[in-house]
Amino acid sequence: MSRIVYVNGDYLPEEQATVSIFDRGFLFADGVYEVTSVLDGKLIDFAGHAKRLQRSLDELEMKNPTTEDELLEIHRQLVARNDITEGLIYLQVTRGAADRDFAYPAEDVKPTIVLFTQAKTGLADNPMAKTGMKIISIEDQRWGRRDIKTVQLLYPSMGKMAAKAAGAHDAWMVEDGFVTEGTSNNAYIVKGNSIITRHLGHEILHGITRAAVLRFAREAQMKVEERPFTMEEAKAADEAFITSASTFVMPVVEIDGEAVGNGQPGEVTARLREIYLDEMRKAAV
Ligand code: PMP
């Protein structure tokens, strides 16, 4: 069955939804996006995603086509119209369609806004949470403003392909000897009683899941260190994991072919996943 998607004010069957070939998202990757997960038919951390959307738009001097209330209503409409109990909602905003020119177009050009759903069972009961992921390391060759959630995702795609070719699930990217993040997630290691993850800056995306998980970790009296770490430190860690809106908290059990800790998902990781899912389900809207 075809999905109902949202394009510039209209709810349409996906086959009827179109954007211009002159859209700057298509021509220049001049657009930003968000992904919000749905559990039990409700949105997980919608407010966090709406806030980061605004930040990405502000950094690129792009207009926000909706208010937060309107955006929430669109998300809810899509959940209802597509009967989503578990899955993801993608939101894309671009600077709109204009005559091709590197310079931003005139003020009156309207941004393009598109939302679509992906039904996906097994987000919360993902079997990978029990077995863990294998990752490889690759050089981070992305641009320097990774804190803006733009639609230019080609290097992360190349990273996923490299991981796949190596028989792994994902790649962690390394810059100047330190891990930045995963291709579509934030990266963590656990050593002793410390949870270590790279500090915020232009080098990584400010994960919405990261913010919540670190808050829950601190509330549970766990020690959090926001600092860079190397691949060597990661390989010698007791546990490793990733966070993202679609995987929540997911254990990493192998890095570049070497087992992390005892090669099984760790206890700290499992506890954080449980707390995250419990708390976020309670707060879902
Ligand atoms: N880093 C990158 C590069 C990502 O693409 C993502 C997911 N979009 C994340 C981190 C995790 O962010 P969030 O927790 O907001 O999904």
Side-chain angles (χ1 to χ4, degrees), residues 148-163:
I148 309 172
K149 197 167 168 61
T150 73
V151 297
Q152 36 165 321
L153 295 171
L154 190 52
Y155 190 69
S157 285
M158 291 166 74
K160 287 268 196 233
M161 293 309 288

Side-chain angles (χ1 to χ4, degrees), residues 16-223:
Q16 290 170 29
T18 56
V19 293
S20 165
I21 64 156
F22 295 109
D23 194 280
R24 289 181 60 94
F26 179 59
L27 297 179
F28 293 100
D30 188 359
V32 300
Y33 77 112
E34 281 296 330
V35 187
T36 304
S37 59
V38 178
L39 292 178
D40 318 316
K42 287 186 171 175
L43 303 162
I44 300 297
D45 213 343
F46 172 79
H49 290 284
K51 195 162 164 227
R52 185 174 60 190
L53 171 69
Q54 188 60 54
R55 182 180 181 280
S56 294
L57 292 169
D58 288 346
E59 291 298 310
L60 296 173
E61 297 169 49
M62 214 183 277
K63 278 175 282 187
N64 191 337
T66 64
T67 64
E68 188 171 327
D69 286 347
E70 286 164 353
L71 200 57
L72 177 57
E73 178 57 21
I74 299 165
H75 277 73
R76 284 180 164 158
Q77 283 286 335
L78 287 181
V79 168
R81 289 175 191 235
N82 293 290
D83 201 14
I84 306 286
T85 49
E86 198 165 344
L88 302 167
I89 304 190
Y90 284 81
L91 152 68
Q92 317 256 149
V93 178
T94 77
R95 204 180 300 276
D99 230 10
R100 194 182 188 286
D101 187 351
F102 278 89
Y104 298 168
E107 278 288 301
D108 59 350
V109 168
K110 276 202 191 134
T112 300
I113 176 167
V114 169
L115 284 93
F116 59 91
T117 54
Q118 270 187 359
K120 220 168 187 173
T121 50
L123 278 188
D125 284 327
N126 193 328
M128 188 108 81
K130 299 239 158 40
T131 52
M133 305 168 58
K134 295 178 184 181
I135 60 133
I136 58 163
S137 57
I138 58 170
E139 193 190 328
D140 198 336
Q141 293 183 356
R142 297 172 300 164
W143 77 323
R145 288 302 307 273
R146 303 157 194 160
D147 57 310
I148 309 172
K149 197 167 168 61
T150 73
V151 297
Q152 36 165 321
L153 295 171
L154 190 52
Y155 190 69
S157 285
M158 291 166 74
K160 287 268 196 233
M161 293 309 288
K164 223 173 155 178
H169 301 100
D170 197 21
W172 281 8
M173 295 178 280
V174 178
E175 185 171 61
D176 299 331
F178 293 101
V179 174
T180 52
E181 57 189 332
T183 62
S184 59
N185 47 70
N186 290 114
Y188 306 72
I189 56 173
V190 180
K191 187 73 183 175
N193 58 3
S194 275
I195 296 160
I196 302 155
T197 192
R198 195 181 176 104
H199 56 286
L200 297 181
H202 289 172
E203 299 76 21
I204 62 166
L205 185 73
H206 302 184
I208 300 305
T209 320
R210 177 189 183 281
V213 165
L214 294 189
R215 188 173 79 241
F216 295 141
R218 287 180 170 121
E219 283 171 9
Q221 314 300 325
M222 298 178 187
K223 196 174 153 213

